[in-house]
Amino acid sequence: MKETDDFYEKQEQSFKEVLLALKEIILRQDKEITNVLKYGMPFFCYKGKMFCYLWIHKKNRQPYIGIVEGKHFDEPFLIQEDRSRMKIMMLDYTQDLPLEKIETILQKALNLYKSGIIKV
């Protein structure tokens, strides 16, 4: 857990607050979700399977949630860019987090694993 704590501590204050809030939102979606550091970024796994991650968009300088199996969703607020499998949900760190939208997409993503569409 030390590595993941270090990740959050190293972030700019404005990003750090948002990322820590997102971490809590994600972890409270299901007791089977764990937080690990992979590829230098915080990943969240459901029963050991990568589910989503947090990062900061290099060009836009905005934090985002990456949905590992985002290709299964058509929500207009999810951005694919050059990714084949993942989609991201950009967040404006100067605004309140859209909690309902975040929780809805996280639950939809979790349901892919719980329903067996994505094998765990």
Side-chain angles (χ1 to χ4, degrees):
M1 201 56 133
K2 175 95 172 81
E3 287 180 323
T4 56
D5 292 340
D6 287 346
F7 170 83
Y8 295 105
E9 286 304 314
K10 291 178 184 174
Q11 302 306 310
E12 292 177 30
Q13 190 61 34
S14 52
F15 295 143
K16 180 177 165 180
E17 291 175 16
V18 171
L19 293 170
L20 285 169
L22 290 169
K23 172 186 167 188
E24 295 307 314
I25 292 167
I26 294 166
L27 289 173
R28 75 174 177 229
Q29 298 306 305
D30 193 285
K31 62 181 173 39
E32 297 284 346
I33 296 174
T34 56
N35 186 204
V36 297
L37 200 69
K38 290 184 185 239
Y39 314 111
M41 60 183 93
F43 263 87
F44 297 85
C45 299
Y46 177 73
K47 294 186 176 182
K49 191 90 167 167
M50 289 191 298
F51 156 64
C52 69
Y53 63 97
L54 299 176
W55 200 239
I56 297 167
H57 197 278
K58 300 244 186 288
K59 284 184 188 172
N60 300 347
R61 303 248 325 125
Q62 287 183 296
Y64 67 82
I65 300 172
I67 305 296
V68 172
E69 296 295 339
K71 68 181 181 184
H72 294 275
F73 304 118
D74 294 324
E75 277 75 4
F77 59 85
L78 291 177
I79 304 164
Q80 186 136 23
E81 292 181 326
D82 294 332
R83 301 168 186 87
S84 59
R85 179 176 167 202
M86 301 180 191
K87 288 188 179 179
I88 64 172
M89 180 181 182
M90 301 278 271
L91 300 157
D92 184 345
Y93 65 91
T94 65
Q95 303 288 320
D96 288 342
L97 290 174
L99 185 59
E100 189 174 321
K101 190 185 281 189
I102 292 168
E103 289 182 333
T104 298
I105 201 62
L106 290 172
Q107 285 300 317
K108 282 181 79 170
L110 272 174
N111 284 337
L112 292 174
Y113 299 83
K114 291 179 177 183
S115 68
I117 293 170
I118 306 300
K119 304 286 184 238
V120 287

